[in-house]
Amino acid sequence: MKVSLSWLKDYVTIDVDAAELAEALTMAGLEVEALTDRYGYLDRVVVGRIVEIAAHPHADTLSVCSVDVGDGIKPVVCGAANIKKGAFVPVALPGARLPSGDTIKAGHIRGQPSEGMLCSEAELALGTDSSGILLLKDQAAPGKGLAAALDLSDAIIEFDLTPNRPDCLSVIGVAREAAAILKTPLKYQEVKVPAGATPIEELASVTVEAPDHCPRYAARLILDVKIGPSPFWLQDRLNSVGLRAINNVVDVTNFVLMEMGQPLHAFDFDRLAENRIVVKTARQGQRFTTLDGVERTLGAEMLMICDGKGPVALAGIMGGLESEIEDHTRRVLIESAYFDPITTRRTAKRLGLGTESSYRFERGVDPNGVRRALDRAAQIMVESAGGKPAEGVIDVYPRPIRKSVIELSVKRTNRLLGAGLSREEVGSYLESIELEVEPLNEDRLRVASPTFRVDLKRPEDLMEEVARLRGYDKIPTTYPESDVVGIPRGKKLKLRDRLRQVLSGCGFSQIVTYSFIEKDACDRLGLGDKDPRRRMVSITNPLTEDQGVMRTSLLPGLLATMYRNSAQRNENLKIFELGKVFLNPPAADRDELPLEVEMISGLWTGARYDKTWHFREEEADFYDIKGVVEAVCEGLNVKKPRFAPLSSPDFAYLRAGHAAELHAGDERLGAAGELSPAVLKNFHLKQTAFCFDLNFDLLVDHATQEKLARPISRFPATTRDIALIVDEAVEAGSVLDFIEGLGQELIEAVDVFDVYQGRPIPDGKKSIALRITYRSFERNLTDSEVNTIHEVVTNKVLKQFKAQLPAIDGWR
Amino acid sequence: MKEKLERLEQEALKALEAADNPQEVQLLRVRYVGRKGAVTQCLRSISTLPPAERPLAGKLANEVKTRLEAAFKDSIEAFDTGRKRPDGALDVTLPGRPLAGGRLHPITQITQAICEIFLRLGFEIVEGPDVELDYYNFEALNIPKDHPARDMQDTFYVSENIVLRTHTSPIQVRVMERQSPPVRIIAPGKAYRVDSDVSHTPMFHQVEGLMVAENISMGDLKGVLTIFVHQMFDEETSLRFRPSFFPFTEPSAEVDIRCVICRGKGCRVCSHTGWLEVLGAGMVHPAVFEMVGYDTGRYTGFAFGMGIERIAMLKYGIDDIRKFYENNIRFLEQF
Ligand SMILES: [Zn+2]
C-alpha cells in the first residue's frame, strides 16, 4: 500500500517531514516499508538554456541545438518546433531514466552527435502536453536539477500493513492515523453530486438475490460521458501510487478506491442486457471471461454480478470483458457495494485471482462508506468525463450493519497495560480515531466503533488502540511476580544433551536437514514392501518434488549430506543427526496425526583420523562405528546392550556380514554397520561409509539415570592369558558370554586381546586370545589358587567350543 | 682473592658449557651472580681486605661479574631463539596428536543458549508435534478458516485438516488444554512454510514462550524480553516495542533490538534503520483463553516467539539462511 505525502496533505495538515511521519506511523503500528522520493526519476534531468539552433544537415525536421547544461555546452538533436534560442528547457542527460522506461544515452542521431534529450512535459510525466518541448517560465541557472527548479517535491510512503487494518488501505485511512498521531483534525472533502434530469429508477434496476453474500449494492448512472484521457491532476495522483492511468471513467473508480478504500466498478450501461443488475451466485460449471481475457469456470458458491442475460462481473474481484468501458461508451453504471469478506476470499482463492478490489473486500471494507464513495465517484466523473448524472441512487441495503458497541473497563485496561491512565485519557485516545465514547460510570466506558474498523470487537482491541496511540514505549518495564518453582528437566531433554555431548566427544559433528525428503527414498534404501517406513506422510503442496514426503528415516539426509560434502572434497566425514521421523498410522485415518519417532543416526566415511604427521592414513571400519554405538550406550547408561548379526529385514541398507543389530532387553534399538554397495550407488556415492541408525525414544526407555557406586576391591588382580583355536564361525561374543555364564565369582573381567587367522593356524580355524582377570574382595589370591580355577575355566571353554590350545601353550 | 675469582669464573663457564637447558642456566646464574651467589659474596667481602688491595680486587670482581652475567644472558638467549636445543629434545612446535571433538549444529547451540536463559527464569521446556492439526495450528489460535491472517503464513498441507505447523504457537494451546494456570513454558521446535530465498527456508526453527497467571501485564512482557535480550546479546542492546498484529495476541507487538552490527548507525544488515526485528509478542488473546477454557476475567498472560536462524545469523554473522541446511562440514566446524 502506497500513499504520497502530498495526497495525504489533502486531508490532514502535516507539519513534520516525511521521515518523521513515517517513523511515527511505524511506531503506531502502520509499518513503513519504504520511503522514496517521488521525483527521484528526475535525478539526471536538468535545466538547460538553448544557446544556438542550427539546422540538421541530413534531416529537415530535426535541428541541432547547443545547450548550456551548467558544466558545458552540449549538442542535442531535437525534433520539436517550439524551441527557440535563449529558451530554458528540461534536458535529460545521459543516464536519465524517463517514465516511459527509456534510458537516455549519448550518441549520434542521423550522423550528428547528441548528448541528451530535450523533453516535453508528458515525457517527464509532469503534464499531458506532448506537442512540444516544455518551455520553462522561470529562468533558472542552467545545470540546476529540474525538480528543484520547478519546486517539485513529494515523498512516497509504502506500508506493509497487517491484515487487521483494511481501513488503512486508503489515503483517508492513513490520513486518519496521521491526524490522531499529530493531534490535528481530519479534513473530509465535500462530496456533492449535481442533480440529474431522469430518475435512475426509470432507466435501471438492481436485484440482490443473495443478500448474505452481498449485504449492500448501490449504483449510479452517468449519462453522456465522453471517454478520453483524465485530467492531469487525476493521472498524477494515480501515477504517484503506482497505478497507470487508463481513461477518465476507469481512472475515477481507481482514484476513489485509493482515496477511500472502496472498490468500485464501472459498467458500460448500454452493454448490460435489459439495463438491469442481478446479484446472484453462479451456476456450477458456468464459464465466464474476465476482463484480463481469461475464461474461467465458475463454482456454485461464487457470487456474480449479472445483467438480464448472464454474468457481467465476478463480484468484488474483476469485471467481465463484455461490459468493460470502451472508447465509445456513452452511459456508465457505477457500482459501489459491500461484498461478504469470506465469499470474496473463497472465490478469489479458488480462481487464483487476487486484485486490489478483492484484497480489500476480503479484509473488509466499510459497509456504511459505500454511498459516500459512490457519490464521490459520480462527482468526479461528471467533472472529468463531462457526463450528467441520472437523478438519484439505487441503494439495496436491506439490513444495515451497525457500529459495534464495546464496554471498556479502565481498570482492566490499566491492568493489562501496566499503566495508570484516567478514564478521560483512555476516552480521548479512542476519540482521536473517531470512536464514540460515553462514560457509564467511574470505571466503564461505552465505546461505539465505526464500521470501517472491522478489527475492533472486544475490550482488548480497544486496549491495544489506547496502547499504540499512547506509544508502546510509554508502557513501563516491570517484572512478573513469581513463585519459586523447581522444574526438573525431563529425562528425554537430559539424555538429548548427554547424547550430543557423547557424539561430539567421539568427533561427530551434528547436522540438521529438512524433515521432508524425496518420495523414492525408501526404494533407494532398498526397504521391503511391507516396511513401516513406507507409510510416508505426503505433502499436498511441496515446494519441490524432492521435498514431497516427510522423512521416515534420517539416512537419506545423512547420505545427501555426504554427497554434497564429497562434491566439496570433504571426504572424511563423521556426522550425526538427532531428529524426528514421521510414520503414518497403519490404517490411515484422514484426521489422525502421524507417529513422530525420534531417531539418532550417524555416518562415518573416509579416514579414521585426519591425515597428519602422526598417523598413517587408515580407513574407518565396522569396529569404529560399533565403538561409537558402544560409547552412546555407555554414555546414556543403557542397560545391557547386546550386538547380534543382522537378522531383521529392516536393515536391508546395511551390508550383510558387516553390520550388527543392537538389542537391549527384548527390544531392538537399531543397527550399525557398513552401508550396502547398492544403497551407496542409489545415492550416487562412491566411498565406503558406515552408519548407525538407532531409535532414540527406545534408547531413552532403556537408559537408566541412577548410577550406583560398586565397592572396589583392595586386593591385587592376577591375570591369565589363554589362546583358543576355534572354528572360524565361532563368535568371540559367545565365548565371553559363556565364561560370564560360568558364574565364577573370582573372575573380574575377560578381554579379547587378539584375533588371528592364517599360518600356522589351520584353514577354517582362527585363534582368539583372551585375558582373564582374577581378583578377590577378601584376600590376595595365590598363584596356585588362580591356576586351579583357570584350568577349570579353560577346560570348560575348550569343551564347549570344541577348541584347542595352540601347540606352544600360553601359560605364563 | 684474585685466584678465587678466576677459579670461580672458570668453574662457572665450564658449568655453563655443560648446561642442557635454560632452567639449568638460570640456576647457575643464581649460584654465581645471584644475590647470594659466590661472585657476589666475593664482591661483598672486599671491605674486609686491607685498604690498599681494595680498588684492584673490586675492579676485578666487577669485571668477572659482568662477564658472567653476559655469558648467562647469551646462553639463555641461545635456548630461547632455538640456536641451541637441549639434548634429545622434541620439536614442540609440531602439531599435537589431534583429539578433535565434533561440533554441535549452530541452530542447536543457539537454541540451547535461548533455553538456558528462560530456564533460569523458571520456564519449563515443552515440545509438540511437527505435523499438526489445523485446529491447533490455526483455529485455536483465533485464525479461522477463510481468514486473511492465514495469508501471513504460507502453509504446507498434508490433508484438509492436517498441516506442517507454521509456527511453534500450537504448543501453547496444547499446554493450556492440559494444565491450568500458572503456566510458564518455552517451546523450541521446527516450523514449516512454503518459502525459499536468502532469508527463508521451507523449514526453520522457532522458540515460543508463554506465561499465564493472575495480573500479568504488558510491562511484564517487556521486562522478561529485556532480560532475555540483555543476556542473549549484551546489556547495551536496547529494545523497541512496536504495535503489530498476530491473531492470537492483543495487544500485539514486534520487538526490535538495536542493530548489533552497527549499534544503530545503520548498515546493510538492518537495512539502514538501526533496528532489527527479532521477536513477535503480545498479550494472549482472550479468544485463545476461551478456546482452552481459561477464565479471562481472572487470568492474563503474554506470549512471544522468535526465529532461531535469525538470531544465529546475527550472532555468527551469517548472511544466507540456507547455509544452515547445506551442512557443509567446513561451515559446521566453525561453531
Ligand atoms: Zn545495522
Side-chain angles (χ1 to χ4, degrees), chain B residues 259 262 266-267 270:
Chain B
C259 179
C262 66
C267 68
C270 60

Side-chain angles (χ1 to χ4, degrees), chain A residues 346 475 478 496 504 515 540, chain B residues 102 127 146 157 192 220 222:
Chain A
R346 284 189 182 153
I475 296 171
T478 55
R496 249 189 229 146
S504 61
S515 303
T540 57
Chain B
E127 295 176 334
D146 297 312
Y157 281 90
Y192 306 85
D220 298 337
K222 282 179 105 170

Side-chain angles (χ1 to χ4, degrees), chain A residues 52-65 77-78 112:
Chain A
E52 198 67 66
I53 301 180
H56 192 288
H58 313 301
D60 294 344
T61 56
L62 298 178
S63 39
V64 180
C65 307
V77 174
C78 180
Q112 288 297 305

Side-chain angles (χ1 to χ4, degrees), chain B residues 190-233:
Chain B
K190 294 182 162 83
Y192 306 85
R193 290 184 199 173
V194 187
D195 217 345
S196 182
D197 60 39
V198 222
S199 44
H200 299 91
T201 43
M203 182 187 90
F204 57 98
H205 293 77
Q206 283 191 334
V207 172
E208 186 84 7
L210 173 72
M211 180 165 189
V212 183
E214 290 177 27
N215 294 319
I216 296 289
S217 77
M218 208 164 164
D220 298 337
L221 167 64
K222 282 179 105 170
V224 167
L225 291 183
T226 303
I227 292 175
F228 166 70
V229 167
H230 285 177
Q231 297 202 8
M232 192 71 207
F233 296 95

Side-chain angles (χ1 to χ4, degrees), chain B residues 259 261-270 274:
Chain B
C259 179
I261 313 290
C262 66
R263 290 282 167 197
K265 285 188 205 76
C267 68
R268 202 179 47 80
V269 176
C270 60

